[in-house]
Amino acid sequence: MTQDRPFLVRHADLIFALKTFGAAMLALVIALWLNLPRPYWAMASVYITSQPLAGATSSKAVYRLIGTFVGAAVSVLMVPNLVNAPELLCLAVAAWVSLCLYFSLMDGTPRSYAFMLSGYTVAIIGFPAVSDPGNIFDAAAARVQEISLGIICASLISSTFFPRGIGAAASERLGYWLATARELSREALAGAGTSREQRLQQLLREAVELETLQVHLAYDRLTDVNTAQALRMLRPHMLLLPAILASINDRITALGPRLRTDYPGLARLFDEISAWIVDDRGAPQAARELQEKIEAQRPRLGTGSGWDQILITSLLIRLQELVDLLQDCRALGPAVAQGTNPSRVGLQFNPESGVAETRYRDRTLAMWSAAGAAAAILLCCAFWIGTGWPDGASAPMMAAVGSSIFASQDDPTVGIRRFGVWAAVAIIIVAVYLFALLPPISTLEALIAVLAPAFILFGYLMARPATTSIGTSLGVNAATLMALQSAYAADFVAFANSSIAFIIGIVAAIVVTRTARSVGAEWIAHRVLRAGWVSLAVAAEHRGRRDRASFLGAMLGRLDQLVQRLAAIPEIARRDVDNLSQLRVGLNIIDLRRARHHLSPTSLHAIDRMLDRLATAFRSHSEGPMPRSLLSDIDAALAATVDDPGAAANEDALLGLVGIRRGLFPDSPAYGTHSSLSGQRVA
């Protein structure tokens, strides 16, 4: 099968490695020609900036340039004024790095790289300049020039030679996502979806990853504007589909095996929808006919409606949403793949106000991470100043870099340790180059030929997701530690000192981070779950109508964080994640709040009382089953709403209450005394 793929796709990793090495050599040659003081910074910058996708490379290049410029400017302002008070200088640099790291973690988008780089660039420029503060401006200017040169070369080569656009990658991922969505939809309709919770979570995870990829589209000149617009239009559909499938799974499970035997009309409808899902022709007329058939099956709710009748109505409404969602995804697919105009596509599903781009932010964890970075820097500075070590500046510099780069991980010490191990490997490789391979080299061509095997390998490792961090650590550290200049000037003592300081800085970052911020995935998962319950409490307390988009964005952001940590969540709390129950309950609460404005005072009082009880329970809840007393409050609201035949929003309110009841108490007995349909039967 791999032979059917285009040559450039099959060998994309090797092509990326060759392009990255070519860009690095171009940056090095130009820096040497311009006689820049540290040409190796330009070379290292290529390995930091380069990404397999051209748009991602350009995006990171822009943020890296901004961060470098800001960090250089702060270094020029800070070092000359505090160089005579080393303790204050160290404190100021540590405070700046921690502040920038805090804002980086709170931002949570690719833009956060600019904040983080603004922080540790001051450490990279400022600490080595302490011994020669008069040249701080020249050092900062050189840093900006050399980083800019590396960025330009990386972006130029990436977008000129065999570029890989984000649009093509997004189209490939979307195709896989649609295939998975269709498969899960058919399994749900066949009654096999109850054991597919983890796959629904993965479906959501893939949608969020595709959304992250969209951030770089603004920097991708290879992607058609129609593709970018189509992906934005698909965003709410892709994020909502897993929750709707989970609701369909839940309703079918609640009705049980008798659903197909007692209601043959529904069984035939399920089969027709399944056949339509498989049909790739995607004619809009077929979707409209299905909607008419679904509508014809819907019972009319009113006084005396039984639990089955309410459940079936809820199920059919979710089926209508499923058909609309899949039809829209099918219609927008060609716009993503071929760049056709998506504005001509008439969307069937109305996501109301959409999904706000709200990300989960843990301020406490960000503050701990920032404090840990500051502590690691100050510890290395104390060792440096106390020992009077001439080459000790590398220690706090690397402490700043290590503490910042991996701060977003659950346990940053794992990433820092891995970075340190491969940095040590890079030191060994650099030692072989500096003292065995490079001394005989006398021409630039020979230098490039000698560097090629190692640095092409580093680029190849960078291109593969499983080894990206290894390749980046080797490439960046090898280029930096090799410190290539226009003339060979390697000194073993200086190299050994800087290497030891390098490792000490990483070890300090590990020790301090383990003490201050090594909390692990389970602890973070608990915090995310807790924040989700608080959001549900806020949703239950508010009586407004226009916060659905922001709530959905926030809940999806938290759910994404939980999906990444499922293995670390205790079994007692995992149900809240596997069934997407928090998301479903929250959306039903908001829909219920919207419907409550048109209910009679009796129904309104019962629903408001239930919402207040829910809010109180949610604020004190973290994991495990909800208090059973809430079930009585929900059933009381259901009873009042069922007996309210004059309310225009009666049906919407009932559906919201059903969603809340099933989301919080999926294993509870059926509501009321009716265990089967009262009145009409769906046949």
Side-chain angles (χ1 to χ4, degrees):
M1 183 178 293
T2 56
Q3 294 299 320
D4 297 334
R5 300 166 66 195
F7 176 86
L8 295 181
V9 176
R10 294 201 309 270
H11 301 286
D13 296 343
L14 179 58
I15 292 172
F16 171 77
L18 293 171
K19 287 167 55 178
T20 303
F21 178 71
M25 292 302 99
L26 177 62
L28 178 64
V29 169
I30 295 175
L32 291 171
W33 178 62
L34 294 175
N35 200 30
L36 296 177
R38 296 178 180 85
Y40 53 89
W41 271 357
M43 179 180 173
S45 185
V46 171
Y47 279 88
I48 295 174
T49 305
S50 294
Q51 304 287 314
L53 300 178
T57 298
S58 300
S59 170
K60 191 169 185 179
V62 170
Y63 297 133
R64 180 165 178 76
L65 185 60
I66 294 172
T68 300
F69 181 82
V70 173
V74 173
S75 300
V76 172
L77 293 174
M78 190 179 293
V79 174
N81 293 313
L82 298 174
V83 71
N84 293 323
E87 295 82 2
L88 289 178
L89 176 61
C90 294
L91 186 62
V93 173
W96 172 256
V97 172
S98 64
L99 180 67
C100 292
L101 179 59
Y102 174 80
F103 283 114
S104 173
L105 294 173
M106 292 303 295
D107 182 81
T109 69
R111 182 180 57 238
S112 63
Y113 183 62
F115 289 104
M116 181 174 65
L117 192 63
S118 299
Y120 68 71
T121 293
V122 175
I124 293 175
I125 297 176
F127 286 135
V130 169
S131 59
D132 189 15
N135 290 323
I136 182 64
F137 181 82
D138 293 336
R143 173 79 177 178
V144 172
Q145 292 167 3
E146 288 150 358
I147 295 298
S148 301
L149 176 60
I151 288 171
I152 292 171
C153 291
S155 301
L156 179 65
I157 297 297
S158 176
S159 59
T160 303
F161 297 96
F162 309 111
R164 292 180 62 194
I166 292 178
S171 178
E172 183 178 352
R173 289 195 183 185
L174 177 61
Y176 176 78
W177 184 91
L178 281 172
T180 305
R182 291 177 181 179
E183 181 182 355
L184 290 176
S185 299
R186 294 179 65 241
E187 289 177 356
L189 293 173
T194 54
S195 61
R196 307 294 179 179
E197 291 88 355
Q198 291 186 355
R199 295 183 65 190
L200 286 177
Q201 298 292 340
Q202 183 60 30
L203 191 68
L204 176 62
R205 177 67 185 151
E206 289 166 3
V208 174
E209 289 177 352
L210 187 59
E211 179 187 9
T212 302
L213 198 62
Q214 291 179 239
V215 176
H216 303 290
L217 280 173
Y219 303 89
D220 190 358
R221 294 179 298 173
L222 304 173
T223 301
D224 190 275
V225 64
N226 288 331
T227 298
Q229 182 182 353
L231 285 171
R232 285 193 295 270
M233 294 169 67
L234 273 172
R235 178 175 179 264
H237 295 67
M238 296 179 68
L239 294 175
L240 283 170
L241 184 61
I244 289 176
L245 283 177
S247 294
I248 292 173
N249 283 339
D250 175 79
R251 302 302 183 269
I252 293 177
T253 300
L255 289 165
R258 59 189 176 81
L259 176 62
R260 284 183 170 269
T261 56
D262 290 358
Y263 311 114
L266 283 180
R268 290 192 298 270
L269 182 62
F270 289 170
D271 293 338
E272 290 185 49
I273 296 175
S274 295
W276 172 80
I277 291 173
V278 176
D279 186 359
D280 289 330
R281 290 172 296 178
Q285 179 61 32
R288 286 193 291 269
E289 291 175 358
L290 277 178
Q291 293 286 18
E292 293 174 359
K293 292 179 180 179
I294 294 173
E295 183 64 29
Q297 296 277 1
R298 280 180 58 179
R300 297 299 169 235
L301 301 182
T303 301
S305 294
W307 183 232
D308 277 11
Q309 192 173 3
I310 298 172
L311 283 176
I312 289 173
T313 302
S314 175
L315 171 61
L316 291 171
I317 289 176
R318 294 294 177 254
L319 287 177
Q320 287 180 314
E321 294 173 342
L322 175 65
V323 171
D324 285 342
L325 280 169
L326 291 178
Q327 176 59 33
D328 287 352
C329 290
R330 183 177 289 175
L332 287 171
V336 176
Q338 305 164 15
T340 57
N341 188 355
S343 61
R344 299 176 181 177
V345 177
L347 298 182
Q348 302 300 315
F349 181 75
N350 176 24
E352 298 182 8
S353 51
V355 181
E357 295 186 10
T358 306
R359 297 182 180 273
Y360 173 70
R361 295 174 174 86
D362 192 325
R363 289 179 171 81
T364 301
L365 192 60
M367 291 178 65
W368 274 110
S369 299
I377 294 170
L378 292 175
L379 179 64
C380 290
C381 287
F383 180 76
W384 173 31
I385 295 172
T387 59
W389 189 7
D391 296 310
S394 296
M397 179 180 71
M398 289 311 302
V401 173
S403 300
S404 299
I405 292 177
F406 303 101
S408 61
Q409 297 182 358
D410 292 343
D411 186 356
T413 58
V414 176
I416 301 173
R417 188 186 305 112
R418 185 183 298 116
F419 178 81
V421 168
W422 291 105
V425 174
I427 289 173
I428 296 173
I429 295 173
V430 169
V432 173
Y433 267 99
L434 287 179
F435 305 109
L437 300 179
L438 294 185
I441 301 298
S442 58
T443 64
L444 187 60
E445 293 82 0
L447 174 65
I448 294 174
V450 170
L451 293 176
F455 281 90
I456 290 176
L457 174 61
F458 301 159
Y460 184 79
L461 293 173
M462 288 172 58
R464 303 176 70 84
T467 56
T468 296
S469 60
I470 296 174
T472 302
S473 179
L474 288 171
V476 174
N477 290 319
T480 302
L481 293 168
M482 202 171 292
L484 294 172
Q485 301 284 357
S486 56
Y488 179 79
D491 177 83
F492 183 78
V493 175
F495 173 75
N497 270 288
S498 61
S499 298
I500 292 172
F502 194 94
I503 297 300
I504 288 177
I506 294 175
V507 171
I510 294 174
V511 172
V512 174
T513 303
R514 178 174 291 280
T515 303
R517 235 249 42 205
S518 183
V519 294
E522 181 177 343
W523 186 84
I524 295 176
H526 278 291
R527 290 183 60 81
V528 177
L529 277 171
R530 176 80 187 108
W533 290 118
V534 172
S535 291
L536 289 181
V538 172
E541 290 167 346
H542 286 183
R543 299 295 190 251
R545 308 183 190 182
R546 299 183 179 180
D547 56 352
R548 189 177 194 269
S550 59
F551 171 83
L552 184 56
M555 288 301 298
L556 286 169
R558 293 188 183 96
L559 193 57
D560 173 48
Q561 296 294 315
L562 286 171
V563 169
Q564 300 176 53
R565 301 173 174 90
L566 278 178
I569 301 174
E571 187 66 32
I572 191 173
R574 196 174 297 172
R575 180 186 62 82
D576 298 321
V577 183
D578 288 348
N579 293 329
L580 300 103
S581 61
Q582 283 189 348
L583 176 61
R584 289 165 43 212
V585 168
L587 291 176
N588 279 290
I589 286 175
I590 291 176
D591 291 341
L592 178 61
R593 281 173 19 201
R594 179 184 56 197
R596 62 180 286 283
H597 291 274
H598 305 286
L599 295 172
S600 67
T602 302
S603 299
L604 183 62
H605 174 74
I607 289 175
D608 284 351
R609 182 175 181 272
M610 179 207 69
L611 289 175
D612 291 338
R613 295 284 182 87
L614 288 179
T616 301
F618 290 157
R619 286 200 176 276
S620 60
H621 188 70
S622 58
E623 63 181 48
M626 297 296 298
R628 298 294 295 181
S629 59
L630 290 178
L631 182 60
S632 300
D633 295 322
I634 297 172
D635 285 350
L638 269 169
T641 307
V642 168
D643 293 333
D644 188 3
N650 173 274
E651 188 168 290
D652 291 338
L654 283 175
L655 295 176
L657 290 168
V658 169
I660 295 171
R661 192 182 196 274
R662 290 295 305 167
L664 295 178
F665 302 99
D667 300 324
S668 62
Y671 158 76
T673 58
H674 297 276
S675 59
S676 61
L677 186 63
S678 174
Q680 59 184 14
R681 168 172 287 194
V682 180

